[in-house]
């Protein structure tokens, strides 16, 4: 492998040739329970204690990855099953990022990993069981995000965007202090959007790479705690460290489209996810309640035809003021509000808030990430090694119904 110099004094070590995302395989043929390491090390017995460092969904919520003190594992969500695991004697991983269901993963070692330190990103080809590229930095890596065409590495004050084909540096973005590694990407091929904290408290920076446009959005007064984009990058949902309000923005012009309330007390928002049809939003926090909200936003043309729904970046730029409409969908219920909401503008803002449409209660002692499954279901993965599937009534809302519970890893530990 050759070593290239990076502007931040990091090193990038790509393989000879290029990485071709078009040639990526999938994990669908992998055998559950199959376990081997990239260096032919003996597998570690499942009877040994395994700590959970990290959990994250893939881009379409069909799988999730778990970084453990032994290595990493991948689980299919529907039906739930362990797809495979890789155990290494050198130690575990603090970050495991999937690219949909393909064989390429981004790995960052946990602090105890003797071979892969937390300041290095490993691009791992699991079909070849070897590292095919790596990035080394002077400081600890906080997050890695993948698209089919790029790799994004998040440090505490800077974000680097690399071309997936040859690992060359494309963009550098300065951010405010970002210990959570906040960053999200669009995943449609015809839009390339990145959202991350800006240089000021409560500010979001949105990069529309295809349009060569940057949009700064004043999202909150407090620091940003969580953010997510729709798959096309047109809508952005955010929460602050106060954890009481979630806001939805148009990423083209920065307009706030909707605001919903999680609660009154401060909370640490663990995850935000938008449903693929952009009808629903789900939020999880350290308070233990999963909240689902009905959205009043859609992309104009989504009901007309599939072709009309997928608009090119040029059309979006030219019609940015009309590309997103706020409306109440007749096919779903609306979020409940205060009985005094008619006095909006007279009483404090709290009384005109939109509250969650459906709820599911989980133990407060565990952090959960939540996302949307099929047919009005919510899936959650917890830092205690638990997986839940629950369903909500799209017309009446209220308390969700538990459909499935699996303990995928027995551990008392939490990720950082």
């Amino acid at each position: 492998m050759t070593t290239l110099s990076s502007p931040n004094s990091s090193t990038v070590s790509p393989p000879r040739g290029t990485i071709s995302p078009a040639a990526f395989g999938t994990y669908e043929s992998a055998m559950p329970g199959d376990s081997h390491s990239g260096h032919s090390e003996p597998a570690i017995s499942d009877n040994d204690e395994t700590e959970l460092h990290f959990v994250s969904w893939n881009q379409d919520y069909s799988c999730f990855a778990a970084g453990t003190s032994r290595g990493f594992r991948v689980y299919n969500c529907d039906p739930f099953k362990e797809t495979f695991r890789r155990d290494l004697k050198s130690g575990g991983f603090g970050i495991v990022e999937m690219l949909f269901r393909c064989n390429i993963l981004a790995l960052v070692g946990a602090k105890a990993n003797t071979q892969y330190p937390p300041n290095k990103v490993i691009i791992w080809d699991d079909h070849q069981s070897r590292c095919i590229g790596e990035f080394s930095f002077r400081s600890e890596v906080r997050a890695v995000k993948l698209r089919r065409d790029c790799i994004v590495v998040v440090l505490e004050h800077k974000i680097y965007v690399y071309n997936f084909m040859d690992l060359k540096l494309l963009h550098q973005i300065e951010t405010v202090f970002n210990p959570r590694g906040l960053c999200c990407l669009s995943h449609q091929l015809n839009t390339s959007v990145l959202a991350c904290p800006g240089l000021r408290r409560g500010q979001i920076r949105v990069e529309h790479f295809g349009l060569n446009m940057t949009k700064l959005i004043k999202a909150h007064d407090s620091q940003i705690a969580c953010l997510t984009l729709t798959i096309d990058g047109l809508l952005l949902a955010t929460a602050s460290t106060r954890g009481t309000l979630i806001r939805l923005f148009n990423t083209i012009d920065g307009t706030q489209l909707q605001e919903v309330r999680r609660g009154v007390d401060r909370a640490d928002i663990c995850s935000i996810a938008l449903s693929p049809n952009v009808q629903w939003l789900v939020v999880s926090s350290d308070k233990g309640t999963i909240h689902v909200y009905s959205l009043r936003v859609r992309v104009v043309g989504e009901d007309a035809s599939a072709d009309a729904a997928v608009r090119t970046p040029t059309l979006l730029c030219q019609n940015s003021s009309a590309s997103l409409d706020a409306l109440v969908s007749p096919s779903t219920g609306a979020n409940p509000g205060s009985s005094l909401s008619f006095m909006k503008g007279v009483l404090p803002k709290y009384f005109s808030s939109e509250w969650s449409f459906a709820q599911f209660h989980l133990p407060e002692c565990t952090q959960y990430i939540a996302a949307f499954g099929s047919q009005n279901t919510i899936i959650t993965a917890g830092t205690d090694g638990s997986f839940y599937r629950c369903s909500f009534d799209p017309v009446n809302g209220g308390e969700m119904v538990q459909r499935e519970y699996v303990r995928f890893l027995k551990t008392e530990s939490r990720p950082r």
Side-chain angles (χ1 to χ4, degrees):
M1 293 196 301
T2 58
T3 301
L4 305 177
S5 176
S6 180
N8 73 316
S9 299
S10 69
T11 59
V12 181
S13 302
R16 292 186 176 91
T18 61
I19 303 174
S20 175
F24 289 168
T26 71
Y27 279 122
E28 293 175 324
S29 61
M31 295 296 293
D34 175 37
S35 178
H36 70 269
S37 76
H39 298 274
S40 300
E41 300 177 33
I44 298 170
S45 171
D46 198 37
N47 294 327
D48 295 336
E49 182 181 354
T50 301
E51 296 179 357
L52 183 59
H53 294 317
F54 178 87
V55 287
S56 70
W57 307 111
N58 71 342
Q59 287 80 1
D60 60 8
Y61 309 131
S62 62
C63 300
F64 70 91
T68 74
S69 56
R70 305 298 189 186
F72 63 92
R73 306 179 186 187
V74 170
Y75 298 88
N76 189 72
C77 292
D78 191 12
F80 184 88
K81 67 177 181 179
E82 180 181 305
T83 305
F84 72 96
R85 68 174 68 182
R86 302 293 178 250
D87 290 334
L88 306 176
K89 289 181 67 177
S90 60
F93 293 98
I95 296 173
V96 183
E97 187 73 14
M98 299 179 67
L99 179 59
F100 291 94
R101 303 181 68 92
C102 82
N103 54 297
I104 304 296
L105 299 97
L107 307 173
V108 178
K111 292 183 179 179
N113 193 313
T114 57
Q115 186 171 5
Y116 303 120
N119 68 321
K120 181 180 290 189
V121 177
I122 303 298
I123 307 302
W124 181 267
D125 184 338
D126 202 67
H127 281 181
Q128 300 184 55
S129 295
R130 69 182 183 93
C131 170
I132 58 173
E134 64 181 50
F135 305 84
S136 295
F137 300 89
R138 288 182 174 178
S139 59
E140 186 173 332
V141 175
R142 292 302 185 182
V144 183
K145 303 296 178 182
L146 300 179
R147 270 177 55 104
R148 290 185 174 95
D149 56 0
C150 70
I151 301 167
V152 178
V153 181
V154 185
L155 307 182
E156 287 188 343
H157 289 279
K158 209 163 190 179
I159 293 175
Y160 294 91
V161 182
Y162 298 91
N163 183 17
F164 217 138
M165 294 292 288
D166 54 16
L167 305 188
K168 290 184 178 179
L169 183 65
L170 300 176
H171 307 281
Q172 301 180 57
I173 302 171
E174 300 279 351
T175 71
V176 71
F177 180 57
N178 186 17
R180 297 173 183 246
L182 299 177
C183 181
C184 55
L185 306 174
S186 66
H187 293 288
Q188 276 190 352
L189 293 178
N190 65 334
T191 59
S192 182
V193 183
L194 178 151
C196 64
L199 288 172
R200 297 181 179 180
R201 183 179 65 184
Q203 184 185 72
I204 302 290
R205 175 171 177 164
V206 180
E207 291 288 344
H208 291 269
F209 293 121
L211 302 176
N212 195 26
M213 181 181 78
T214 300
K215 187 66 184 178
L216 299 177
I217 300 173
K218 177 61 175 176
H220 299 271
D221 293 329
S222 304
Q223 296 282 11
I224 303 299
C226 198
L227 72 166
T228 192
L229 287 167
T230 49
I231 192 170
D232 59 9
L234 291 180
L235 295 175
L236 168 74
T238 67
S240 76
T241 51
R242 288 180 58 85
T244 55
L245 298 172
I246 296 88
R247 290 173 176 151
L248 199 68
F249 297 92
N250 178 339
T251 63
I252 297 291
D253 60 18
T255 304
Q256 181 177 312
L257 301 172
Q258 192 172 353
E259 177 184 275
V260 296
R261 180 173 290 275
R262 181 212 56 82
V264 181
D265 298 333
R266 181 182 291 268
D268 185 10
I269 302 298
C270 304
S271 70
I272 304 175
L274 292 155
S275 65
N277 61 8
V278 200
Q279 284 187 326
W280 307 102
L281 179 146
V282 63
V283 175
S284 65
S285 74
D286 62 350
K287 295 295 185 181
T289 302
I290 306 297
H291 294 274
V292 173
Y293 301 87
S294 176
L295 297 183
R296 295 182 283 106
V297 175
R298 71 176 175 91
V299 179
V300 170
E302 70 177 11
D303 297 328
S305 69
D307 293 335
V310 182
R311 306 169 75 92
T312 65
T314 301
L315 286 173
L316 287 172
C317 185
Q318 293 173 348
N319 302 291
S320 61
S321 62
S323 61
L324 296 168
D325 275 352
L327 57 91
V328 178
S329 172
S331 62
T332 59
N335 298 318
S338 168
S339 60
L340 299 175
S341 59
F342 67 93
M343 298 184 69
K344 182 178 180 180
V346 178
L347 294 175
K349 191 175 182 181
Y350 167 86
F351 291 99
S352 60
S353 296
E354 291 184 53
W355 296 79
S356 60
F357 177 76
Q359 309 81 32
F360 185 63
H361 297 281
L362 293 165
E364 287 190 32
C365 58
T366 299
Q367 293 182 350
Y368 298 89
I369 57 173
F372 287 91
S374 60
Q375 299 178 342
N376 300 318
T377 61
I378 300 296
I379 51 177
T380 71
T383 57
D384 61 349
S386 64
F387 174 88
Y388 289 88
R389 188 190 316 277
C390 56
S391 62
F392 64 94
D393 184 329
V395 176
N396 300 312
E399 189 67 22
M400 289 186 264
V401 178
Q402 181 177 315
R403 300 298 184 187
E404 185 176 10
Y405 167 77
V406 178
R407 190 69 182 269
F408 65 87
L409 190 66
K410 294 180 180 179
T411 177
E412 299 299 323
S413 66
R414 296 186 179 187
R416 58 175 172 82

